[in-house]
Amino acid sequence: MTKKIINLLILLPLGIILIIFCVANRQSVTLALNPFRPEDQVLSLSAPLFVLLFVALIIGMLVGAAVTWFNQGKHRKLARSQSREAVRWQAEADKHRNRAEQIAGQLPSK
């Protein structure tokens, strides 16, 4: 319940701010990707400003997530290796426990 209230207190104002931002920046702008000839229509894109900003934000988030994922690869590899080793040690411990129980069962009772 508390989590829902906190989300509502954060997401509702953020949503209102984003809607106001979108309404205020509806005018169309041209993004020129050719620095030598900005008037070139082939390498330019016309769209509302808020659309271009949201696309830039989404691309930035995807690139950041990919970089983080690749940088953490060594940690995931180490975790997989340690997990396999833990399973192997557990199987060996179970084998020794079973062998000890067999030996204990074969000893004569006093």
Side-chain angles (χ1 to χ4, degrees), residues 26-91:
R26 291 179 306 194
Q27 63 273 17
S28 183
V29 295
T30 302
L31 175 66
L33 299 174
N34 187 351
F36 303 110
R37 290 187 47 200
E39 68 277 356
D40 185 12
Q41 294 294 321
V42 175
L43 294 175
S44 65
L45 175 68
S46 293
L49 179 62
F50 74 91
V51 171
L52 295 176
L53 290 176
F54 282 155
V55 168
L57 178 70
I58 290 170
I59 289 172
M61 289 174 57
L62 292 175
V63 168
V67 168
T68 301
W69 187 78
F70 282 119
N71 283 339
Q72 292 176 350
K74 57 186 170 192
H75 302 293
R76 288 191 307 276
K77 183 179 180 181
L78 179 63
R80 282 191 304 269
S81 170
Q82 289 177 344
S83 175
R84 283 191 299 267
E85 187 175 350
V87 168
R88 192 185 87 225
W89 282 107
Q90 184 66 40

